[in-house]
């Protein structure tokens, strides 16, 4: 895949004009999405409510596209990439796993199959995508693995037990979240992480100006998110080996300072 353009400000007028000139066939689709998003932002000023509406609209068209996969083959490949990475970095069948933004189980069905029955807990802000997740469970024949799928209103995780999850995972969640939403998660995730547990999340990385596009895609500097984790008493490190994989986002691992794993 092409090298990441870490200094580009995708919200800048010059970049948008240049992109439109280089890809004129994409302009009509972008204008349709921009119009829809503007209307949804007007109706739902709160970001989580707004993005829930985005997911409702996208899932209606295609659950796989709603989670960022333009084909079934890419859906399978991205799920396998997430699963293989976690497997190589410490995921074991006896672990209890919380997946934040589980979507339609692009990676989740593989986690569910690998983990002991009842050890997977998936949450998402979109009831519609969770209905699609149920379809994935049926298609893969995983009902006997007894996963839990739960809609959430926010990322406070207040209904979950203390020190319960060995692994917390959020793929393509913070890439669609403003800083207050990310901080809400980081302020509370430590409570539900078991001693020695970890939280892996991906994000869209920039080394230039932090920015957003259509209030859907947010670009952050690594040091911003590491500092935010440390503000809430967590240790965080950039996962450089994830960068070697064919994926456009970057990854950070968060742990309790006294419980950092060496995997």
């Amino acid at each position: 895949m092409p090298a990441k353009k870490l200094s580009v400000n995708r919200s800048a007028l010059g970049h948008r004009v240049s992109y439109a000139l280089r890809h004129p066939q994409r302009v009509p689709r972008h204008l349709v999405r921009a119009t829809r998003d503007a209307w949804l932002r007007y109706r739902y000023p709160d970001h989580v409510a707004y993005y829930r509406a985005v997911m409702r609209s996208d899932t209606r068209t295609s659950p796989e596209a709603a989670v960022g996969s333009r084909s079934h083959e890419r859906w399978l490949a991205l799920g396998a990439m997430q699963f293989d990475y976690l497997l190589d970095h410490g995921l074991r069948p006896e672990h209890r796993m919380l997946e934040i933004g589980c979507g339609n189980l692009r990676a989740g069905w593989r986690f569910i199959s690998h983990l002991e029955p009842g050890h997977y807990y998936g949450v998402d802000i979109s009831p519609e995508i969770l209905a699609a997740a149920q379809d994935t469970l049926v298609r893969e024949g995983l009902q006997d693995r007894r996963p839990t799928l739960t809609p959430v209103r926010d990322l406070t995780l207040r209904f979950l037990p203390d020190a319960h999850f060995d692994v917390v995972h959020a793929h393509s969640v913070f890439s669609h979240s403003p800083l207050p939403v990310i901080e809400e998660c980081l302020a509370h995730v430590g409570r539900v992480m078991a001693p020695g547990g970890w939280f892996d999340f991906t994000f869209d990385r920039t080394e230039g100006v932090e920015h957003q596009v259509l209030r859907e895609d947010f670009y952050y500097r690594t040091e911003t998110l590491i500092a935010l984790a440390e503000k809430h008493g967590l240790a965080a490190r950039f996962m450089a080996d994830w960068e070697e994989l064919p994926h456009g986002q970057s990854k950070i691992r968060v742990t309790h300072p006294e419980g950092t794993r060496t995997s």
Side-chain angles (χ1 to χ4, degrees):
M1 103 180 281
K4 296 178 182 180
K5 298 178 180 178
L6 297 177
S7 62
V8 173
N9 182 348
R10 293 161 180 82
S11 66
L13 178 61
H15 173 78
R16 288 183 289 165
V17 170
S18 175
Y19 187 88
L21 291 174
R22 285 182 285 114
H23 304 284
Q25 73 281 5
R26 299 180 185 178
V27 172
R29 185 176 63 185
H30 176 81
L31 291 176
V32 169
R33 192 166 192 95
T35 301
R36 183 208 61 176
D37 284 9
W39 168 242
L40 292 178
R41 286 196 301 273
Y42 172 76
R43 290 191 64 192
Y44 305 102
D46 171 73
H47 182 79
V48 172
Y50 154 71
Y51 204 74
R52 184 180 293 116
V54 168
M55 288 297 295
R56 183 186 307 121
S57 175
D58 287 350
T59 303
R60 192 179 299 126
T61 302
S62 165
E64 293 186 354
V67 299
S69 301
R70 295 186 178 180
S71 69
H72 184 63
E73 290 71 24
R74 184 61 176 163
W75 185 85
L76 288 170
L78 285 174
M81 189 187 305
Q82 296 172 58
F83 175 73
D84 291 344
Y85 187 85
L86 268 189
L87 203 62
D88 289 343
H89 288 74
L91 181 67
R92 302 196 302 270
E94 66 270 22
H95 281 154
R96 296 186 183 275
M97 181 177 186
L98 169 65
E99 187 163 31
I100 299 172
C102 64
N104 68 333
L105 301 181
R106 177 171 59 182
W109 73 267
R110 299 176 189 271
F111 296 138
I112 292 164
S113 181
H114 176 72
L115 296 169
E116 293 178 4
H119 281 213
Y120 177 90
Y121 203 112
V123 300
D124 205 286
I125 63 169
S126 169
E128 291 79 14
I129 204 68
L130 287 175
Q134 293 175 355
D135 294 337
T136 301
L137 284 177
V138 173
R139 185 174 66 246
E140 300 299 330
L142 294 171
Q143 296 95 324
D144 289 346
R145 308 303 290 182
R146 303 193 305 277
T148 299
L149 301 174
T150 302
V152 293
R153 290 174 292 181
D154 53 41
L155 295 184
T156 61
L157 310 174
R158 59 183 179 273
F159 63 97
L160 295 174
D162 290 359
H164 185 72
F165 296 101
D166 303 290
V167 179
V168 184
H169 185 250
H171 185 92
S172 292
V173 175
F174 289 178
S175 54
H176 302 302
S177 303
L179 274 180
V181 173
I182 296 174
E183 180 163 18
E184 179 178 80
C185 182
L186 291 173
H188 295 91
V189 71
R191 180 186 65 80
V192 305
M193 287 165 52
W198 73 86
F199 171 32
D200 280 7
F201 64 82
T202 62
F203 67 104
D204 280 325
R205 180 161 68 97
T206 181
E207 293 179 353
V209 176
E210 295 183 333
H211 60 280
Q212 56 81 22
V213 179
L214 297 180
R215 299 296 293 176
E216 281 198 45
D217 300 302
F218 292 78
Y219 294 81
Y220 296 110
R221 298 175 68 89
T222 303
E223 54 266 34
T224 296
L225 299 182
I226 288 178
L228 202 56
E230 292 174 347
K231 174 183 175 181
H232 294 285
L234 300 167
R237 62 186 175 97
F238 183 73
M239 304 297 279
D241 59 347
W242 173 261
E243 301 278 290
E244 300 168 9
L245 300 174
H247 192 277
Q249 296 181 11
S250 299
K251 187 183 287 283
I252 286 175
R253 173 164 290 191
V254 170
T255 61
H256 293 297
E258 70 280 8
T260 304
R261 290 182 181 268
T262 59
S263 60

